[in-house]
Amino acid sequence: MKFSYTLLKKIFPDLPSKKKVIDLLNLYSFETEDLGGDILDISLPTNRYSDAASHFGIARELAVILNKKFNYPIKFIKPPLIKKFIKVKIENENDCSRYLAYYFEISKVGESSQEIKKILKSCGINPINNIVDIANLVMLETGQPLHIFDADKLSPQNSLLKTLIVRRAKNGEKIETLDNQIINLNKDILVISDIESPLAIAGIKGGLLSGIDKNTKRIILEAANFDSVLIYKTSKMINLRTDASIRFSHNISNELVKIGADRAAYYFKKIGAKLIDSFEINNKKYNLEIINFNIDQYEKLIGEKIEFQKAKKYFISLGFEVKELNKKNLQIKIPGWRTDILDFEDLAEEVLRFEGINQLKPARPQIELLSYFEDNVFILKDKIRNILTKLNLSEVYNHSLIGENDVEIKELGLKFNNKLIEVEYPVSKDFKYLRPSLLIWLKKNLIENSKFFENVSIFEIGKIFYKEQNNLKEKLSLGLGILTNKYLSIFEMKGVVDSLLKQLGIGEFLLVEDQNKIKIEIDFNPVGFIYHFKNKKNQYFALTEIDAEYLLKFVEEENEFKPISKYPAVIRDISVLVPFDIKIGKLVEFISEISSLIYDVDLIDEYFDPVFGNKQSLTFRIVFQSKDRTLTDN
């Protein structure tokens, strides 16, 4: 997030040089970079937006680091509540927890000072006019986004009383934003409207209809707090990200509403504006959080001592209310804008930050020894990786999301339409669904690598996601891909699968022909399929996907030992004439089951001749061996 050194210096005059400020923030608070000129780029953690996404917040941090007093400039006011000019309605309190509206009469709309323009530009905001610029300046100072409506442009225009309604948009409604974008609205978008039409997209962008111009005489200042999830989703949905939406999306505190509104009132008064009326709805009153801080507990947690008065001074400088209970205990009241402080450990972290984490002395860790535990999934994945890399396959890592063009693999006859799980707000149409199969990306990997290599062998182990009877499922899957320029890919794939399963200790499995693919069966249950196809470039693809979680039931830690027979083997070659449509695997299986004396069967030759017609000659090598005797020719 961008910050202005000029604004920091204005609200905290004791500030050292810009370079020194960057060094101090990097050392004690947040990662900070110098973007040149007046600009500091400060990386804020998500839970610190309520207090630190503001120049007041950063100034407060620097005051603690420099051990100097920071005079917080907010002066709270008691606004008039005649309710004659402004009224607010909130249709759903979960959408908007607090809304404060101030009604002003102004004397003139003009340009802001050069200093304010410089500050706004440093933070990436274009100056508009003195009224709008005050709202943006206050957002930079306090962290509370504000919006301003031209009161005379609200319906009904012939009435002094103006009503603002916080509601969901209606399907079919539209709004033209201040930057002239036409946004189509729906019931998932929160808007601020008058009694007729939307005036602003809540927490994101104002509408052109109620914008401030040189003729504006009366304004309504909005300071509100909207549901963070709703603002985040809307910003993604309409592809509109603003300084306000970023802050609201990070769940900023309700307490900032009054701070921001009163700071803006201070500036408007300086340019001659008069506060006439106000209206507030607060559906979420802040309950003051009180946490005890114990010196001994701090030392036990951190491993370093801290002076009692020093810790007390840190908390006071940070804006906490502190009460000294005794010489070792402090009672800390947490201000509403420090939403990140939830327990003692958070308080300890605040003290440690300003003591200097780099000052901690190294110490041996004290850990509790637990009983040995094996993660079977981790062990299986490790085994698979070791086996496949030894078989010269390279591991790949692919994206978990797929696009609209990936819902089927035509070459394999696979369609995933009914299994797809759609992401609620995808970043693009190319990353719209969770992947239902590893083969989608593996096929792309093979095609991309075929530009550089004639032969490619890859694998991936990862989660797949799919719908099954309206239930969302995820499971671990193993994908294999082989590409060759010869009709060998399917045979290589069968060899890889065979070797993998055997080395995993799965002895009883079958590779069964199933139409245009090969089914992998374990215990007569299908656990995966081998697919193959040829493209127009005469490249041969073989792709396999196996249910890796199912393998866990059958993987054995140790292979069963079988003693070698002490009796010699007898080898015979036999040639048979069979039709082309008979599967070789079926023949091997058939021969193996003829006799218990058959130890092994291999195909060693194939021969074709026109005189055979629609038949082929196959030669098998059969190994006979007995465990209890020497075999005779008979």
Side-chain angles (χ1 to χ4, degrees):
M1 181 171 283
K2 292 179 181 178
F3 289 78
S4 165
Y5 177 76
T6 299
L7 183 54
L8 283 173
K9 186 78 173 175
K10 184 179 179 181
I11 61 180
F12 185 35
D14 288 334
L15 219 56
S17 68
K18 182 184 176 189
K19 183 181 183 306
K20 182 67 174 177
V21 165
I22 292 171
D23 291 341
L24 291 173
L25 289 174
N26 275 318
L27 191 59
Y28 294 100
S29 298
F30 313 113
E31 185 179 334
T32 306
E33 292 184 33
D34 187 350
L35 296 185
D38 186 44
I39 310 170
L40 293 83
D41 185 29
I42 303 178
S43 297
L44 300 176
T46 302
N47 65 342
R48 291 296 303 274
Y49 268 68
S50 264
D51 74 295
S54 65
H55 285 69
F56 288 167
I58 298 301
R60 191 184 296 110
E61 289 276 318
L62 289 165
V64 181
I65 297 168
L66 295 167
N67 194 22
K68 293 185 178 181
K69 185 173 178 59
F70 171 57
N71 294 313
Y72 192 59
I74 296 294
K75 300 290 188 294
F76 290 109
I77 62 174
K78 188 175 182 180
L81 290 169
I82 61 176
K83 298 183 181 180
K84 182 179 178 182
F85 297 93
I86 180 68
K87 183 179 180 181
V88 178
K89 293 180 180 179
I90 298 175
E91 290 192 352
N92 186 342
E93 65 179 42
N94 293 322
D95 291 342
C96 179
S97 56
R98 189 175 187 182
Y99 197 104
L100 176 58
Y102 283 174
Y103 187 98
F104 291 91
E105 286 183 353
I106 61 174
S107 56
K108 183 182 178 181
V109 177
E111 288 193 19
S112 299
S113 68
Q114 291 302 316
E115 183 183 50
I116 290 178
K117 287 181 179 180
K118 176 185 176 182
I119 290 168
L120 294 177
K121 288 177 181 178
S122 294
C123 298
I125 299 173
N126 291 324
I128 306 296
N129 54 55
N130 59 340
I131 304 301
V132 175
D133 292 351
I134 283 174
N136 286 326
L137 178 65
V138 170
M139 178 182 68
L140 296 177
E141 286 187 342
T142 66
Q144 172 63 44
L146 303 173
H147 186 65
I148 299 175
F149 303 96
D150 185 327
D152 293 327
K153 293 179 180 178
L154 273 60
S155 296
Q157 294 184 7
N158 59 354
S159 171
L160 286 176
L161 181 63
K162 304 297 182 180
T163 301
L164 291 176
I165 305 168
V166 184
R167 63 171 174 85
R168 296 294 182 101
K170 300 168 186 174
N171 289 329
E173 281 189 315
K174 295 182 179 181
I175 187 171
E176 184 175 1
T177 62
L178 289 166
D179 55 358
N180 301 113
Q181 292 188 60
I182 304 294
I183 305 293
N184 294 313
L185 305 173
N186 59 59
K187 62 182 178 59
D188 294 324
I189 297 177
L190 189 67
V191 296
I192 313 299
S193 77
D194 57 19
I195 61 173
E196 290 186 0
S197 57
L199 306 172
I201 303 172
I204 300 178
K205 195 76 173 178
L208 191 62
L209 181 67
S210 59
I212 308 301
D213 57 40
K214 63 182 181 180
N215 299 315
T216 299
K217 299 298 180 186
R218 283 161 285 275
I219 63 171
I220 298 172
L221 170 71
E222 167 195 282
N225 192 282
F226 304 107
D227 177 61
S228 59
V229 175
L230 183 60
I231 300 302
Y232 176 80
K233 287 183 176 180
T234 301
S235 179
K236 287 283 186 183
M237 186 192 308
I238 65 176
N239 194 28
L240 187 57
R241 192 167 183 258
T242 62
D243 289 275
S245 71
I246 292 170
R247 286 170 167 83
F248 282 125
S249 296
H250 284 84
N251 196 27
I252 59 175
S253 170
N254 249 18
E255 299 302 294
L256 294 179
V257 170
K258 179 69 170 164
I259 293 171
D262 287 1
R263 182 62 171 171
Y266 161 78
Y267 278 120
F268 283 136
K269 185 178 179 181
K270 286 184 69 174
I271 63 169
K274 186 178 180 182
L275 180 57
I276 303 296
D277 201 358
S278 67
F279 197 102
E280 181 176 14
I281 298 176
N282 190 354
N283 295 317
K284 189 178 179 182
K285 299 284 174 59
Y286 175 69
N287 294 320
L288 197 66
E289 188 76 27
I290 299 176
I291 303 173
N292 288 337
F293 181 84
N294 177 271
I295 291 296
D296 293 337
Q297 190 179 355
Y298 174 87
E299 182 181 346
K300 184 178 179 181
L301 177 68
I302 303 300
E304 295 285 342
K305 293 182 180 295
I306 178 69
E307 295 176 19
F308 183 74
Q309 292 301 323
K310 197 174 185 181
K312 180 181 177 181
K313 190 174 182 180
Y314 284 145
F315 293 129
I316 293 172
S317 298
L318 285 167
F320 298 176
E321 291 185 40
V322 181
K323 181 179 179 181
E324 192 171 322
L325 300 177
N326 52 49
K327 293 301 180 182
K328 288 196 173 184
N329 288 284
L330 296 171
Q331 186 184 75
I332 313 294
K333 292 183 179 179
I334 312 300
W337 33 263
R338 281 308 297 265
T339 57
D340 60 305
I341 304 295
L342 303 174
D343 49 33
F344 167 79
E345 284 74 15
D346 291 328
L347 290 176
E349 182 184 359
E350 292 300 288
V351 174
L352 176 61
R353 282 199 301 121
F354 297 112
E355 280 290 279
I357 294 176
N358 294 331
Q359 305 303 316
L360 284 176
K361 297 175 183 177
R364 293 187 181 93
Q366 297 180 4
I367 59 172
E368 181 182 358
L369 291 176
L370 301 175
S371 59
Y372 176 68
F373 171 74
E374 278 192 350
D375 185 334
N376 291 329
V377 173
F378 178 83
I379 293 171
L380 175 65
K381 289 165 72 173
D382 195 49
K383 281 184 176 181
I384 290 172
R385 287 189 176 102
N386 286 333
I387 294 168
L388 293 178
T389 50
K390 288 176 182 177
L391 292 171
N392 292 323
L393 276 78
S394 300
E395 185 173 9
V396 295
Y397 295 88
N398 286 312
H399 211 291
S400 295
L401 297 173
I402 62 169
E404 293 177 349
N405 297 324
D406 302 322
V407 298
E408 64 176 320
I409 307 178
K410 293 181 180 179
E411 297 90 342
L412 308 184
L414 293 176
K415 293 184 179 181
F416 306 109
N417 303 68
N418 297 329
K419 293 186 175 183
L420 294 174
I421 300 173
E422 185 174 350
V423 178
E424 189 167 1
Y425 296 107
V427 294
S428 76
K429 65 179 182 180
D430 295 324
F431 300 99
K432 191 174 182 180
Y433 306 102
L434 291 170
R435 63 182 180 188
S437 169
L438 299 181
L439 302 186
I440 297 166
W441 279 106
L442 284 175
K443 179 197 151 192
K444 292 182 180 181
N445 297 149
L446 293 177
I447 292 172
E448 285 298 313
N449 281 279
S450 70
K451 299 173 183 176
F452 311 102
F453 307 101
E454 289 188 355
N455 301 296
V456 182
S457 300
I458 56 176
F459 73 95
E460 181 178 14
I461 310 171
K463 289 286 185 73
I464 61 172
F465 312 87
Y466 57 95
K467 280 194 289 191
E468 187 175 270
Q469 297 177 348
N470 294 325
N471 293 318
L472 305 185
K473 302 277 188 177
E474 67 173 275
K475 69 178 178 183
L476 187 67
S477 187
L478 168 64
L480 309 167
I482 294 177
L483 167 73
T484 67
N485 284 331
K486 299 178 182 179
Y487 189 58
L488 294 173
S489 60
I490 182 64
F491 299 124
E492 287 189 23
M493 182 63 78
K494 288 171 68 177
V496 168
V497 171
D498 182 89
S499 182
L500 171 67
L501 296 179
K502 285 179 178 176
Q503 291 187 58
L504 286 174
I506 303 173
E508 301 297 327
F509 64 88
L510 293 174
L511 302 181
V512 182
E513 289 285 340
D514 183 10
Q515 297 179 352
N516 62 340
K517 57 185 179 291
I518 297 172
K519 181 164 57 176
I520 305 168
E521 288 186 356
I522 300 176
D523 197 27
F524 300 105
N525 291 311
V527 297
F529 292 92
I530 301 174
Y531 303 90
H532 58 97
F533 68 93
K534 183 179 77 169
N535 66 8
K536 295 179 181 178
K537 297 180 181 180
N538 288 323
Q539 294 172 316
Y540 296 91
F541 293 76
L543 290 159
T544 298
E545 186 156 29
I546 298 173
D547 184 345
E549 288 186 8
Y550 193 82
L551 294 183
L552 276 172
K553 302 176 184 178
F554 297 93
V555 172
E556 297 177 8
E557 186 63 32
E558 298 178 356
N559 290 320
E560 182 181 353
F561 172 73
K562 293 182 179 179
I564 299 172
S565 176
K566 59 184 179 181
Y567 299 101
V570 177
I571 299 173
R572 294 289 185 268
D573 294 343
I574 180 171
S575 295
V576 293
L577 202 62
V578 298
F580 278 113
D581 59 355
I582 290 183
K583 303 296 182 184
I584 294 172
K586 290 286 187 181
L587 279 174
V588 171
E589 185 181 344
F590 176 75
I591 295 171
S592 300
E593 293 175 353
I594 288 175
S595 169
S596 60
L597 294 177
I598 295 177
Y599 177 76
D600 189 31
V601 181
D602 289 304
L603 177 70
I604 62 171
D605 189 40
E606 297 176 79
Y607 180 67
F608 309 94
D609 193 294
V611 300
F612 294 159
N614 65 342
K615 295 184 179 182
Q616 60 180 326
S617 174
L618 303 176
T619 301
F620 295 94
R621 176 157 293 165
I622 307 172
V623 179
F624 299 87
Q625 192 170 33
S626 173
K627 296 178 182 178
D628 53 16
R629 68 184 190 279
T630 300
L631 299 176
T632 64
D633 286 342
N634 289 334

